[in-house]
Amino acid sequence: MIKKHEIYKNDKWNMMTVEVQGKTLVLREISDQWGEECHTFLSRPALMNWAQQRFPKEDFAGREQEWEELMKAFQEV
């Protein structure tokens, strides 16, 4: 059984989802700039490590609440 988690969805061209496929986590990032990127993780800590590198807290200066919500969405996977 595949369980799908939505991390964010701005519109149908800018979104990120994570599918849990057994022990594997498949992250799909769709953007109007880059198209679709797919990343596969074998553990939740690996996913969180990637998320923190992909979305550095410094990039969200003045929008810390947005960063917190993003990290919370990843933690709920």
Side-chain angles (χ1 to χ4, degrees):
M1 183 179 141
I2 295 175
K3 189 172 182 189
K4 194 172 187 175
H5 298 267
E6 190 174 282
I7 303 300
Y8 68 80
K9 182 172 182 171
N10 299 337
D11 53 46
K12 69 179 188 172
W13 304 112
N14 294 282
M15 68 174 106
M16 184 177 287
T17 61
V18 177
E19 293 175 2
V20 180
Q21 302 175 356
K23 293 184 177 187
T24 306
L25 304 165
V26 179
L27 181 138
R28 294 185 200 286
E29 184 173 14
I30 301 169
S31 76
D32 53 8
Q33 260 184 311
W34 307 106
E36 182 173 330
E37 279 190 64
C38 192
H39 304 277
T40 303
F41 302 95
L42 299 177
S43 69
R44 282 175 172 75
L47 171 67
M48 289 307 298
N49 184 49
W50 178 88
Q52 289 166 352
Q53 289 177 9
R54 170 69 176 79
F55 300 104
K57 195 169 189 175
E58 307 83 65
D59 290 1
F60 288 81
R63 322 180 305 205
E64 286 81 6
Q65 181 68 34
E66 187 181 336
W67 185 84
E68 295 289 340
E69 288 171 9
L70 202 54
M71 289 303 121
K72 187 171 189 273
F74 278 109
Q75 290 167 353
E76 289 174 357
V77 170

